[in-house]
Amino acid sequence: MGQRVVSVIDRVTVFPGAAWVTRLARIAVNARSEVALVGLPPALEDDTVQIAVRGPARAADVRITLEVTGADDAGTVDDTELHQRRRALAGVQAELAQLRRQLDALTSLAAQTRGERDEPVPSWSDALGARLALIELRAAREPAVRAEIARVERALEEARQALAAAELRRSHATSAQLPPGSVRKVAELTVEPETTDGGVGGEVELVVSYLVPGARWAPSYVVRLGAVDLRLELRASIAQATGEDWTGVAVEVSTASPQRWTELPELPSLRIGRAQPPPARAGWRPPPPDIDALFTDWDRTFASRRGPAPTATTFAELEQMEKVTVPANAPMQQAAPPPAPAMSYGGSAIPDMMPMAAPRKSGGVFSAVGGLVAGAAGRLERQGGAEKKKSATRGRARSVPADDDLGGDADLDANVELTVQVDLLAYAHLRMRGPREDGRGKLERLGRTEIWRTDSRAAIAVGQAVARAREIAGKAAPSGHDPAHAMTYAFAFQADARLDVPADGNWHNLALLHRVTKVGVRHVAVPAVATDVFRVASFTNPLDAPLLAGPVDVYDRGELVVTAHLDETAPGGTVELGLGVDPSVKTARNARFREEATGVLRGSLKLVHEVTISVENLGARPVQLEVRERLPRPAANEEDVEVHVDRVAPTWEAWKPDTERGGAPLSGGHRWRLELAAAAKRDLHVDYHVRIANKHELVGGNRREP
């Protein structure tokens, strides 16, 4: 396997349902060597593994395999041991049943009502002594029986666990299953040193990243009020069952979907002038007509060395073959340009357009997805036993001639685009046959067991690990969170410090970051509805990202005031949080009403209302008070009703609720805004009258105030 290297988790990005994990490892590279990054979780997705090298070296030939550890540590179990375990469990169960019958008999001991008997009635002292003896018997015997029952119950649980462990070990030895946690994935790669001014190679850092299912997060907040400032803490409730604990890692949470397929649109250019042929599409070319002809020089040079066909040919072996010097007297042919090989899927060759290999860059990212090929293969459709290929042009589909019609030097239309099946894009599952094998130069799709180079038991264990990880998706959301909430845009939040998240599948509430911003606290009262005065805190979102919907705990001077729900707020938006009732601010509303006959012939009726609102601040600090009031409004089609304001002291302003925040439509709303000093009291006045015809009456009564 080569040099075994243990990496540590450095950074984790938690998505809805998955996590992107980044591990780091340091090694010394002085020559070309094989490296195995061990201890990776079995649930990771092989196609997402990426390897980067920081330092004077480069990585190549990434392969994901399985490693079974500790599968035989528990040993095997025979039928005799299982029989003994079952007998021990049955004996403990029988003992527990007998003790419970004794306890039932003790609890049923009680003085019985004496029926009609011929014996003389015992004396009072004898009856009392018998009752006391019965009570003493129960008091002395019952605690001992209960203690014995507790001991036997513990022994019963131990016997059950011992039997379950024996049955599990027996099932592992006789079935295609391995113990949980005994299978880990390994990333095998080849590391080559590079020449620098200081020499060849040196100490480098390997960075391995991969996507693993089994992680979720939900936002929550803590608000701590100060005199003029507010401290906003963003928290994340994280649950993960990825198969590895995150200890001291840099955590980032994101609302993006890690595997959503997205294609960038191609913007066509509109030009004025003479028509030009479309440019050739880079990266695609037709396969050669005869793949075996590419190996003519190799066969001529190494024909005498050709031995039995190996089971596989690695990239390292192919590169070593390329470095062999050809004898000078060997006849040579003009080398053809290196074409892309044909593709085989399901045992059938697909001689379609193939991608050109992408160049490797020093210190760049080398992915297991692109480690074998750098593009996609064509889609094969069989109709009537004949192979037909389809390719799409812009806006229309067109067919490509068959192999016999193409010819050796046929060029395909530059506008032809390739249409591929999704399963043919699984590059990490492809393998190219070596020069000593039949069907060489062609790609084949491998099964999981062939890729991992293991047996079916390990593959089953991996499937079980993936199933356990994906159970997190069905886990109930924490209290106060909306599980159906979905973000329109993708945002990420980076934690200020490194965090610990165990892989137990439970919710863990962790503090990510905090920001300090200005806050304004005001008091709002609606005396016509209730005499309570409510405190409201307003502040601006201090983050560059939106505040997601979630629960918020509000603290005032170290004491929990209220737990509320925070609505989604855009960056720079205003947040309002209700802080509950302030008992130190009091309101009282008094209204007086009278009717007057008016008009030339006293044909009108004037309904006079005089409202006085008294507000008082009993606290030790001044408050900003907002008192809301509403005037009656005539119906839209009512012309015989008039409403006039006679006096307002102090001046008020028109007010309408913010319907975007869930406020109900309101007409006739007004409010006073004033500062009420400590231990101060003030009266607010509004006088208005309603004029109606003398023969009419308002629906619900002429008196508009209670």
Side-chain angles (χ1 to χ4, degrees), residues 134-494:
L134 180 62
I135 294 174
E136 291 176 357
L137 175 63
R138 289 188 55 180
R141 183 58 181 163
E142 185 174 349
V145 175
R146 291 187 181 276
E148 193 69 12
I149 289 177
R151 182 191 63 80
V152 176
E153 286 179 344
R154 291 192 297 268
L156 177 63
E157 183 63 25
E158 294 175 357
R160 285 175 176 172
Q161 293 179 0
L163 177 60
E167 291 177 344
L168 181 62
R169 294 197 301 271
R170 179 61 183 273
S171 66
H172 290 159
T174 58
S175 64
Q177 293 186 3
L178 292 173
S182 62
V183 177
R184 308 294 290 180
K185 287 189 176 179
V186 179
E188 299 180 357
L189 66 149
T190 302
V191 181
E192 300 177 348
E194 292 183 343
T195 303
T196 60
D197 297 339
V200 178
E203 186 175 355
V204 300
E205 186 177 44
L206 298 179
V207 182
V208 55
S209 303
Y210 51 84
L211 188 71
V212 58
R216 287 177 56 193
W217 75 281
S220 62
Y221 306 90
V222 172
V223 171
R224 303 185 187 275
L225 296 175
V228 294
D229 294 334
L230 173 143
R231 178 188 174 97
L232 174 66
E233 298 178 4
L234 171 60
R235 295 175 174 263
S237 296
I238 301 177
Q240 67 104 351
T242 60
E244 54 186 359
D245 293 336
W246 302 339
T247 305
V249 301
V251 176
E252 183 181 40
V253 294
S254 175
T255 62
S257 177
Q259 291 184 307
R260 182 173 54 192
W261 181 262
T262 303
E263 292 185 356
L264 296 178
E266 293 188 8
L267 303 178
S269 60
L270 301 178
R271 301 183 180 182
I272 299 176
R274 183 173 298 178
Q276 300 292 332
R281 306 183 68 83
W284 301 95
R285 59 186 175 190
D290 187 5
I291 297 179
D292 287 336
L294 301 177
F295 297 90
T296 303
D297 295 340
W298 192 94
D299 291 338
R300 184 178 294 108
T301 304
F302 302 101
S304 61
R305 306 181 186 180
R306 187 168 185 176
T311 57
T313 302
T314 64
F315 282 96
E317 294 173 346
L318 292 177
E319 293 180 3
Q320 187 66 26
M321 295 173 185
E322 294 174 358
K323 297 179 181 179
V324 177
T325 304
V326 180
N329 56 357
M332 300 293 293
Q333 294 183 355
Q334 183 177 0
M343 170 108 173
S344 65
Y345 176 69
S348 302
I350 304 179
D352 208 331
M353 296 183 298
M354 293 299 297
M356 298 172 61
R360 292 181 296 182
K361 297 182 179 180
S362 173
V365 175
F366 191 88
S367 172
V369 179
L372 298 178
V373 291
R379 177 168 56 182
L380 174 65
E381 294 188 0
R382 297 180 177 272
Q383 296 179 358
E387 294 186 357
K388 296 183 179 181
K389 294 172 294 190
K390 289 186 177 182
S391 58
T393 59
R394 301 190 182 188
R396 70 181 188 279
R398 53 180 300 176
S399 60
V400 180
D403 296 339
D404 298 337
D405 300 334
L406 284 175
D409 299 325
D411 293 332
L412 296 180
D413 190 352
N415 285 333
V416 173
E417 294 183 2
L418 191 64
T419 303
V420 297
Q421 295 177 354
V422 176
D423 54 357
L424 296 184
L425 301 178
Y427 306 133
H429 303 168
L430 304 179
R431 168 184 171 270
M432 181 181 292
R433 293 179 179 269
R436 292 188 176 90
E437 301 180 74
D438 296 334
R440 55 187 177 180
K442 297 181 180 180
L443 290 175
E444 291 180 332
R445 179 183 175 91
L446 301 180
R448 286 290 186 182
T449 56
E450 295 177 286
I451 297 172
W452 293 334
R453 296 185 291 191
T454 186
D455 57 8
S456 59
R457 295 176 65 196
I460 293 175
V462 172
Q464 294 173 347
V466 173
R468 288 192 299 267
R470 291 180 176 173
E471 290 178 355
I472 290 293
K475 187 178 180 63
S479 176
H481 292 80
D482 183 9
H485 179 74
M487 286 294 299
T488 306
Y489 300 98
F491 297 95
F493 304 89
Q494 178 70 46

Side-chain angles (χ1 to χ4, degrees), residues 552-620:
V552 54
D553 295 333
V554 183
Y555 290 84
D556 186 6
R557 288 170 286 182
E559 296 183 0
L560 179 63
V561 177
V562 68
T563 297
H565 181 80
L566 183 66
D567 296 329
E568 183 177 327
T569 307
T574 301
V575 180
E576 289 190 351
L577 293 177
L579 305 181
V581 177
D582 188 352
S584 63
V585 182
K586 303 293 184 179
T587 63
R589 187 176 188 274
N590 299 308
R592 290 183 295 178
F593 169 76
R594 68 178 185 275
E595 296 184 4
E596 298 178 357
T598 61
V600 177
L601 300 177
R602 295 184 178 271
S604 300
L605 192 63
K606 183 178 180 181
L607 312 177
V608 181
H609 297 77
E610 298 176 353
V611 179
T612 301
I613 300 175
S614 300
V615 294
E616 184 178 6
N617 180 14
L618 302 178

